[in-house]
Amino acid sequence: MADDLKFTVQRPPAYGELTDVLPGLFWVRLPMPNAPNHVNCWLLDNGPDWTMVDCGYNTDDTFEMWDKLWRGLLRSRPLQNLVFTHAHLDHFGLASFFVKETKCAVRLPLAEWLNAWKLWHEREEGPDEQFAVFMKRNGASDDDATRIVGTQRPSKYLGLRPPREFIRIRDGDVVAMGKREWRVITAGGHSVEHALFYCESDKILIAGDQVLSHMTPSVITPSAQPEANPMKEYLDSLARLETLPPDTLVLPSHGLPFRGLHDRLAQLREHHQARLDDVASVISGKTHAFAIAQEVFPRVLYANPRQAFGESLAHLNMLASLGRLSRDVDADGAITFAPA
């Protein structure tokens, strides 16, 4: 449980407050209009300038907090580098504002930059015809698909157009941030090419959403890749992170900084194994993702069908990859699963 972890602070700082974590490394906690209600960003002191990791949504509250910081405590030195763990909008939404205002360089993995542009081009769209077809291929009736699409309203897009230029970072790269060297670790599961940053000399991990203390990051098979196995990618990333020291200081994007990396990795693995067992336990014959979403994620199905369908399919695809289920696609493209 998260209670077993060793938190470096017991209470979070106020929103928009510049908080010391270690020499040359600062924490800024920003509000979010949806759960989990906040995102953590990290400022690293390079000496003559700053590097910032993640920047928050494009909301008035976030803009005002950054404006106050950059006109106040941070004004004496420019922002040189803006680095991203991934391109979800709670991390990436204000990127273009900082590029325009400060001319800073932007660094992130290629797949995350491409995903940011995908989100931009699909902005403010609810589920479309492709998603309706995806639902029907995965067991929803015509009426079910029409009803689910009909309940969805386009949400306000909380990001700016992505920067047109960036510097690509790759797994294994070493980048300088805040007078420290950080090794880039890229991982799938929660996002397509999520970047974590590990400082070996001080045993610090900027973990993004890949390792959180009180939450399990969402793992969703997207409608564009119905055969993808993001659960395997996520669990594989946990095994890779176990090679880091157990007393590593973890700086997550949501929640509080903590030590106890190996304990948390074990908890996350056990959680997903239990969920896989739960899904497998409700399957006695041929089934599909819509039935699993109704059984396992009933409250999410109409509120957030992409999550309900995506998580259901992520579990089913993983169980199929383990040989616990068989997966079949018929001549019409309908996808079903059955006990192996």
Side-chain angles (χ1 to χ4, degrees), residues 50-308:
W50 294 98
T51 290
M52 186 159 72
V53 179
D54 293 344
C55 63
Y57 274 130
N58 175 32
T59 63
D60 290 343
D61 286 345
T62 298
F63 173 82
E64 290 169 5
M65 288 175 185
W66 281 129
D67 186 61
K68 181 179 178 181
L69 281 170
W70 286 105
R71 291 177 184 274
L73 293 172
L74 305 177
R75 70 182 182 277
S76 61
R77 284 170 286 168
L79 178 63
Q80 181 70 23
N81 295 297
L82 185 53
V83 180
F84 290 100
T85 57
H86 59 303
H88 291 171
L89 294 180
D90 53 326
H91 301 256
F92 191 80
L94 265 180
S96 287
F97 164 76
F98 282 103
V99 171
K100 180 180 178 180
E101 292 296 313
T102 70
K103 309 297 189 267
C104 63
V106 172
R107 301 173 189 269
L108 74 164
L110 173 61
E112 294 297 329
W113 184 74
L114 294 172
N115 196 44
W117 278 102
K118 178 179 182 293
L119 291 172
W120 168 255
H121 286 297
E122 296 176 350
R123 64 192 182 280
E124 299 185 6
E125 288 184 2
D128 56 12
E129 180 59 27
Q130 187 271 336
F131 187 74
V133 171
F134 171 71
M135 287 191 288
K136 287 186 252 186
R137 288 186 65 202
N138 283 282
S141 68
D142 289 347
D143 288 344
D144 289 328
T146 299
R147 181 182 172 198
I148 289 172
V149 169
T151 63
Q152 303 302 300
R153 295 181 180 179
S155 58
K156 184 178 180 182
Y157 184 78
L158 297 178
L160 301 171
R161 186 180 67 188
R164 294 184 182 274
E165 181 179 314
F166 77 109
I167 298 169
R168 182 181 182 182
I169 56 176
R170 298 173 172 85
D171 186 74
D173 284 354
V174 176
V175 296
M177 301 190 298
K179 301 179 183 177
R180 293 181 173 92
E181 290 192 337
W182 304 77
R183 174 164 55 92
V184 178
I185 303 169
T186 60
H190 176 66
S191 189
V192 285
E193 196 180 1
H194 188 299
L196 303 86
F197 303 93
Y198 178 64
C199 174
E200 185 173 4
S201 61
D202 291 333
K203 293 191 286 190
I204 311 166
L205 179 68
I206 297 177
D209 284 359
Q210 203 73 7
V211 183
L212 305 173
S213 61
H214 289 83
M215 300 169 54
T216 304
S218 58
V219 177
I220 292 173
T221 298
S223 61
Q225 298 182 71
E227 296 188 16
N229 191 354
M231 185 65 71
K232 182 178 187 304
E233 293 181 37
Y234 184 74
L235 293 174
D236 286 349
S237 79
L238 301 185
R240 289 180 63 202
L241 293 172
E242 280 185 330
T243 64
L244 303 182
D247 59 343
T248 293
L249 173 63
V250 181
L251 305 181
S253 287
H254 307 286
L256 304 177
F258 68 92
R259 298 185 191 275
L261 174 63
H262 288 197
D263 290 337
R264 186 56 182 153
L265 295 175
Q267 292 163 9
L268 290 167
R269 182 179 294 104
E270 289 167 8
H271 167 85
H272 283 297
Q273 186 58 60
R275 295 295 287 194
L276 288 166
D277 290 342
D278 288 344
V279 171
S281 72
V282 303
I283 299 173
S284 57
K286 184 177 287 190
T287 191
H288 42 66
F290 185 69
I292 297 303
Q294 288 177 308
E295 180 75 21
V296 181
F297 304 104
R299 288 183 292 182
V300 182
L301 182 56
Y302 289 91
N304 189 342
R306 292 188 190 278
Q307 180 180 348

